[in-house]
Amino acid sequence: MNSPTVAIAGSSGLIGSALVSALRAADHRVLRIVRRAPANADELQWDPEAGAIDLGALAGVDALVNLCGVGIGDRRWSGAFKQSLRDSRITPTEVLSTAVAEVGIPVLINASGVGYYGDTRDRTVDESASMGTDFLAQLAGDWEAATAAAQQAGARVVLARTGIVLTPSGGAMGRLRPLFSLGLGARLGNGRQYMSWISMADEISALLFAISNDTLSGPVNLSGPAPVTNAEFTAALGRTLGRPARLAVPAFAMRAGLGELADGLLSGQRAIPAALEQAGFRFQHSTIGEALAYATARPTPQ
Ligand SMILES: NC(=O)c1ccc[n+]([C@@H]2O[C@H](COP(=O)([O-])OP(=O)(O)OC[C@H]3O[C@@H](n4cnc5c(N)ncnc54)[C@H](OP(=O)(O)O)[C@@H]3O)[C@@H](O)[C@H]2O)c1
């Protein structure tokens, strides 16, 4: 594909803004699909709830990347918040998938999460593993199923099951780093739950790889090759920041403070990136130590 035009929904988010920069740096044209009024000719307004999007403006797009959705860890999980997690993913994905089908866009890269697998305990899972049964698994399953129109139309659809993205600029590290820096870093529950992680540098490389690599389709784990337990992650982050983390937050206290969100943090996935590695993708950060060194590095002054 020569300098493709890539349309992105959810482009203002953590991953989306990094992807926009990477695509522009590679001289690709980026069409941002935005919910607010467009600011320039490189933006297209849509109303995901009403299903309104200008199909004509998507003509000539080579790949559409869907990264939208209310942040999973943004708030305590009330019934209303769980509904907003679903509403901000499933209907918008149906709208975009239908647009891909109607316009004939050849590629759809759709965000999803390793939460698809449910709580895997210490069982290693690749993309062939079955769907879990908890809330996040059902959310991911329904989110992926919402790409059906694009799949039926023959588009190459990649279901990008992403792990926890480690970046210097926010996300999980934005929440954890201040606590660890104060010496309040703590293992969650018994710490045996697995965490599948990926550095932002590898997340963006993997999305670019998925856009351009015609052999990739279906579920693809975007997570580093060596997932770790929460206890290992906590110790590694403490070491990286020079603030040993010896505390533990008991599961009951997490449930009292966070409601059902605590279950998401007390369970986990040991997902491996089989599809990416089979397709020849090379990780820049293969171990948690390398990824944390990258995600805690101070930006170099320009
Ligand atoms: N970051 C991670 O560690 C991680 C891990 C696994 C999966 N994921 C998934 O990957 C996707 C991107 O992650 P991210 O960290 O970049 O998320 P993010 O920073 O929360 O950004 C998500 C974007 O979705 C759009 N959005 C927000 N509310 C929406 C709504 N009600 N309806 C439609 N769109 C809405 C917004 O973009 P606009 O304002 O431009 O529309 C927002 O910037 C998300 O679906 C997330 O669940 C992320």
Side-chain angles (χ1 to χ4, degrees):
M1 210 184 275
N2 281 334
S3 294
T5 298
V6 180
I8 309 179
S11 66
S12 66
L14 192 70
I15 299 171
S17 47
L19 182 63
V20 169
S21 301
L23 285 164
R24 288 195 175 137
D27 278 337
H28 296 337
R29 179 174 174 241
V30 177
L31 179 64
R32 300 179 61 185
I33 304 175
V34 299
R35 291 173 297 154
R36 51 167 173 73
N40 55 54
D42 289 332
E43 294 187 350
L44 164 65
Q45 190 174 21
W46 72 318
D47 180 343
E49 278 168 44
I53 188 162
D54 178 359
L55 296 180
L58 289 170
V61 166
D62 297 287
L64 193 152
V65 183
N66 173 21
L67 297 170
C68 65
V70 167
I72 305 261
D74 281 2
R75 280 201 263 144
R76 196 177 198 278
W77 286 1
S78 62
F81 184 63
K82 282 164 70 179
Q83 192 58 46
S84 79
L85 293 177
R86 291 181 60 82
D87 292 346
S88 62
R89 286 176 172 75
I90 295 163
T91 305
T93 300
E94 282 167 357
V95 173
L96 294 171
S97 168
T98 304
V100 163
E102 290 184 4
V103 176
I105 297 172
V107 180
L108 171 63
I109 312 291
N110 204 72
S112 178
V114 291
Y116 174 90
Y117 304 108
D119 186 7
T120 69
R121 300 183 182 245
D122 56 7
R123 183 172 53 97
T124 300
V125 288
D126 67 14
E127 291 84 353
S128 64
S130 54
M131 193 181 118
T133 53
D134 58 22
F135 170 74
L136 282 183
Q138 283 168 20
L139 172 65
D142 292 343
W143 192 6
E144 294 184 0
T147 64
Q151 298 196 42
Q152 281 154 19
R156 180 170 66 84
V157 177
V158 172
L159 305 167
R161 293 180 182 161
T162 295
I164 300 161
V165 178
L166 300 176
T167 167
S169 58
M173 289 301 295
R175 294 196 182 97
L176 292 176
R177 187 176 180 150
L179 289 172
F180 276 70
S181 297
L182 290 171
L184 296 173
R187 192 188 79 203
L188 303 180
N190 64 22
R192 289 203 289 265
Q193 68 277 31
Y194 266 85
M195 298 172 69
S196 291
W197 53 268
I198 184 167
S199 74
M200 180 64 93
D202 283 330
E203 170 76 8
I204 298 305
S205 298
L207 289 170
L208 298 176
F209 187 78
I211 289 169
S212 62
N213 191 308
D214 287 341
T215 66
L216 273 186
S217 69
V220 178
N221 291 342
L222 269 60
S223 59
V228 290
T229 64
N230 173 264
E232 289 166 343
F233 179 90
T234 304
L237 182 53
R239 268 196 308 277
T240 305
L241 293 173
R243 301 300 305 255
R246 298 193 183 90
L247 306 175
V249 190
F252 74 84
M254 289 179 63
R255 290 202 176 92
L258 299 173
E260 218 181 309
L261 169 57
D263 292 328
L265 296 169
L266 291 165
S267 61
Q269 297 78 34
R270 190 178 187 179
I272 52 162
L276 274 181
E277 290 192 323
Q278 271 159 25
F281 181 78
R282 303 290 289 267
F283 283 88
Q284 193 180 333
H285 303 113
S286 298
T287 66
I288 190 63
E290 289 168 2
L292 287 175
Y294 154 85
T296 55
R298 299 258 171 234
T300 322
Q302 299 294 309

mmCIF file of all heavy atoms in Angstrom, residues 76-94:
data_model
loop_
_atom_site.group_PDB
_atom_site.id
_atom_site.type_symbol
_atom_site.label_atom_id
_atom_site.label_comp_id
_atom_site.label_asym_id
_atom_site.label_seq_id
_atom_site.Cartn_x
_atom_site.Cartn_y
_atom_site.Cartn_z
ATOM 1 N N ARG A 76 -15.600 4.069 38.996
ATOM 2 C CA ARG A 76 -16.178 2.905 39.667
ATOM 3 C C ARG A 76 -17.270 2.352 38.749
ATOM 4 O O ARG A 76 -17.987 3.140 38.118
ATOM 5 C CB ARG A 76 -16.809 3.425 40.965
ATOM 6 C CG ARG A 76 -17.125 2.406 41.995
ATOM 7 C CD ARG A 76 -17.673 3.145 43.232
ATOM 8 N NE ARG A 76 -17.608 2.301 44.403
ATOM 9 C CZ ARG A 76 -18.495 1.373 44.710
ATOM 10 N NH1 ARG A 76 -19.561 1.185 43.952
ATOM 11 N NH2 ARG A 76 -18.332 0.630 45.783
ATOM 12 N N TRP A 77 -17.391 1.051 38.649
ATOM 13 C CA TRP A 77 -18.358 0.467 37.722
ATOM 14 C C TRP A 77 -19.773 0.436 38.318
ATOM 15 O O TRP A 77 -20.151 -0.532 38.980
ATOM 16 C CB TRP A 77 -17.965 -0.956 37.356
ATOM 17 C CG TRP A 77 -16.811 -1.053 36.415
ATOM 18 C CD1 TRP A 77 -16.075 -0.032 35.885
ATOM 19 C CD2 TRP A 77 -16.253 -2.266 35.891
ATOM 20 N NE1 TRP A 77 -15.088 -0.524 35.075
ATOM 21 C CE2 TRP A 77 -15.176 -1.888 35.061
ATOM 22 C CE3 TRP A 77 -16.550 -3.617 36.038
ATOM 23 C CZ2 TRP A 77 -14.401 -2.826 34.386
ATOM 24 C CZ3 TRP A 77 -15.780 -4.552 35.378
ATOM 25 C CH2 TRP A 77 -14.724 -4.147 34.559
ATOM 26 N N SER A 78 -20.565 1.470 38.082
ATOM 27 C CA SER A 78 -21.997 1.435 38.419
ATOM 28 C C SER A 78 -22.691 0.762 37.234
ATOM 29 O O SER A 78 -22.095 0.589 36.164
ATOM 30 C CB SER A 78 -22.530 2.860 38.579
ATOM 31 O OG SER A 78 -22.385 3.541 37.341
ATOM 32 N N GLY A 79 -23.973 0.438 37.398
ATOM 33 C CA GLY A 79 -24.737 -0.125 36.278
ATOM 34 C C GLY A 79 -24.740 0.842 35.093
ATOM 35 O O GLY A 79 -24.566 0.444 33.945
ATOM 36 N N ALA A 80 -24.907 2.150 35.389
ATOM 37 C CA ALA A 80 -24.971 3.140 34.304
ATOM 38 C C ALA A 80 -23.621 3.247 33.600
ATOM 39 O O ALA A 80 -23.554 3.379 32.375
ATOM 40 C CB ALA A 80 -25.382 4.502 34.872
ATOM 41 N N PHE A 81 -22.532 3.165 34.380
ATOM 42 C CA PHE A 81 -21.213 3.288 33.746
ATOM 43 C C PHE A 81 -20.923 2.066 32.875
ATOM 44 O O PHE A 81 -20.387 2.188 31.764
ATOM 45 C CB PHE A 81 -20.124 3.475 34.813
ATOM 46 C CG PHE A 81 -18.768 3.710 34.217
ATOM 47 C CD1 PHE A 81 -18.518 4.841 33.436
ATOM 48 C CD2 PHE A 81 -17.736 2.807 34.399
ATOM 49 C CE1 PHE A 81 -17.270 5.057 32.863
ATOM 50 C CE2 PHE A 81 -16.488 3.001 33.828
ATOM 51 C CZ PHE A 81 -16.253 4.133 33.065
ATOM 52 N N LYS A 82 -21.305 0.888 33.363
ATOM 53 C CA LYS A 82 -21.102 -0.315 32.542
ATOM 54 C C LYS A 82 -21.884 -0.198 31.230
ATOM 55 O O LYS A 82 -21.401 -0.594 30.162
ATOM 56 C CB LYS A 82 -21.533 -1.567 33.323
ATOM 57 C CG LYS A 82 -20.481 -1.991 34.332
ATOM 58 C CD LYS A 82 -20.993 -2.942 35.370
ATOM 59 C CE LYS A 82 -21.314 -4.303 34.855
ATOM 60 N NZ LYS A 82 -21.795 -5.188 35.939
ATOM 61 N N GLN A 83 -23.088 0.361 31.325
ATOM 62 C CA GLN A 83 -23.880 0.550 30.094
ATOM 63 C C GLN A 83 -23.158 1.516 29.153
ATOM 64 O O GLN A 83 -23.135 1.299 27.932
ATOM 65 C CB GLN A 83 -25.278 1.072 30.450
ATOM 66 C CG GLN A 83 -26.270 1.025 29.289
ATOM 67 C CD GLN A 83 -26.450 -0.391 28.714
ATOM 68 O OE1 GLN A 83 -26.610 -1.351 29.463
ATOM 69 N NE2 GLN A 83 -26.387 -0.525 27.395
ATOM 70 N N SER A 84 -22.534 2.567 29.722
ATOM 71 C CA SER A 84 -21.850 3.530 28.843
ATOM 72 C C SER A 84 -20.594 2.888 28.221
ATOM 73 O O SER A 84 -20.223 3.235 27.095
ATOM 74 C CB SER A 84 -21.522 4.839 29.564
ATOM 75 O OG SER A 84 -20.379 4.693 30.365
ATOM 76 N N LEU A 85 -19.956 1.947 28.930
ATOM 77 C CA LEU A 85 -18.819 1.228 28.331
ATOM 78 C C LEU A 85 -19.287 0.447 27.100
ATOM 79 O O LEU A 85 -18.602 0.399 26.072
ATOM 80 C CB LEU A 85 -18.182 0.271 29.347
ATOM 81 C CG LEU A 85 -17.479 0.905 30.561
ATOM 82 C CD1 LEU A 85 -16.955 -0.169 31.515
ATOM 83 C CD2 LEU A 85 -16.344 1.817 30.121
ATOM 84 N N ARG A 86 -20.473 -0.137 27.197
ATOM 85 C CA ARG A 86 -21.021 -0.901 26.058
ATOM 86 C C ARG A 86 -21.505 0.045 24.950
ATOM 87 O O ARG A 86 -21.162 -0.119 23.784
ATOM 88 C CB ARG A 86 -22.184 -1.795 26.534
ATOM 89 C CG ARG A 86 -21.724 -2.943 27.437
ATOM 90 C CD ARG A 86 -22.896 -3.817 27.858
ATOM 91 N NE ARG A 86 -23.575 -4.424 26.712
ATOM 92 C CZ ARG A 86 -23.135 -5.526 26.104
ATOM 93 N NH1 ARG A 86 -22.064 -6.151 26.530
ATOM 94 N NH2 ARG A 86 -23.790 -6.011 25.067
ATOM 95 N N ASP A 87 -22.309 1.060 25.362
ATOM 96 C CA ASP A 87 -22.901 1.958 24.357
ATOM 97 C C ASP A 87 -21.838 2.693 23.537
ATOM 98 O O ASP A 87 -22.061 3.002 22.365
ATOM 99 C CB ASP A 87 -23.802 3.003 25.037
ATOM 100 C CG ASP A 87 -25.055 2.366 25.631
ATOM 101 O OD1 ASP A 87 -25.351 1.207 25.300
ATOM 102 O OD2 ASP A 87 -25.725 3.037 26.450
ATOM 103 N N SER A 88 -20.697 3.022 24.178
ATOM 104 C CA SER A 88 -19.677 3.801 23.468
ATOM 105 C C SER A 88 -18.795 2.919 22.586
ATOM 106 O O SER A 88 -17.894 3.430 21.913
ATOM 107 C CB SER A 88 -18.804 4.565 24.476
ATOM 108 O OG SER A 88 -18.127 3.656 25.324
ATOM 109 N N ARG A 89 -19.047 1.617 22.595
ATOM 110 C CA ARG A 89 -18.261 0.710 21.750
ATOM 111 C C ARG A 89 -19.117 -0.022 20.712
ATOM 112 O O ARG A 89 -18.781 -0.050 19.529
ATOM 113 C CB ARG A 89 -17.543 -0.332 22.633
ATOM 114 C CG ARG A 89 -16.378 0.239 23.388
ATOM 115 C CD ARG A 89 -15.725 -0.755 24.323
ATOM 116 N NE ARG A 89 -14.500 -0.175 24.873
ATOM 117 C CZ ARG A 89 -14.480 0.763 25.814
ATOM 118 N NH1 ARG A 89 -15.598 1.224 26.332
ATOM 119 N NH2 ARG A 89 -13.313 1.270 26.228
ATOM 120 N N ILE A 90 -20.214 -0.623 21.156
ATOM 121 C CA ILE A 90 -20.897 -1.568 20.272
ATOM 122 C C ILE A 90 -21.636 -0.839 19.134
ATOM 123 O O ILE A 90 -21.381 -1.127 17.957
ATOM 124 C CB ILE A 90 -21.807 -2.483 21.106
ATOM 125 C CG1 ILE A 90 -20.892 -3.318 22.028
ATOM 126 C CG2 ILE A 90 -22.641 -3.400 20.215
ATOM 127 C CD1 ILE A 90 -21.561 -3.976 23.189
ATOM 128 N N THR A 91 -22.488 0.137 19.468
ATOM 129 C CA THR A 91 -23.184 0.852 18.385
ATOM 130 C C THR A 91 -22.198 1.612 17.489
ATOM 131 O O THR A 91 -22.275 1.506 16.255
ATOM 132 C CB THR A 91 -24.263 1.804 18.947
ATOM 133 O OG1 THR A 91 -25.124 1.026 19.773
ATOM 134 C CG2 THR A 91 -25.071 2.463 17.850
ATOM 135 N N PRO A 92 -21.208 2.355 18.057
ATOM 136 C CA PRO A 92 -20.254 3.024 17.160
ATOM 137 C C PRO A 92 -19.522 2.044 16.237
ATOM 138 O O PRO A 92 -19.288 2.350 15.066
ATOM 139 C CB PRO A 92 -19.283 3.710 18.130
ATOM 140 C CG PRO A 92 -20.075 3.923 19.377
ATOM 141 C CD PRO A 92 -21.010 2.749 19.472
ATOM 142 N N THR A 93 -19.195 0.863 16.752
ATOM 143 C CA THR A 93 -18.503 -0.123 15.898
ATOM 144 C C THR A 93 -19.436 -0.608 14.790
ATOM 145 O O THR A 93 -19.007 -0.782 13.635
ATOM 146 C CB THR A 93 -17.984 -1.302 16.744
ATOM 147 O OG1 THR A 93 -17.072 -0.781 17.715
ATOM 148 C CG2 THR A 93 -17.271 -2.344 15.899
ATOM 149 N N GLU A 94 -20.726 -0.807 15.111
ATOM 150 C CA GLU A 94 -21.680 -1.209 14.058
ATOM 151 C C GLU A 94 -21.767 -0.138 12.982
ATOM 152 O O GLU A 94 -21.791 -0.441 11.780
ATOM 153 C CB GLU A 94 -23.068 -1.441 14.676
ATOM 154 C CG GLU A 94 -23.177 -2.775 15.390
ATOM 155 C CD GLU A 94 -24.425 -2.886 16.272
ATOM 156 O OE1 GLU A 94 -25.193 -1.894 16.372
ATOM 157 O OE2 GLU A 94 -24.606 -3.952 16.864
#
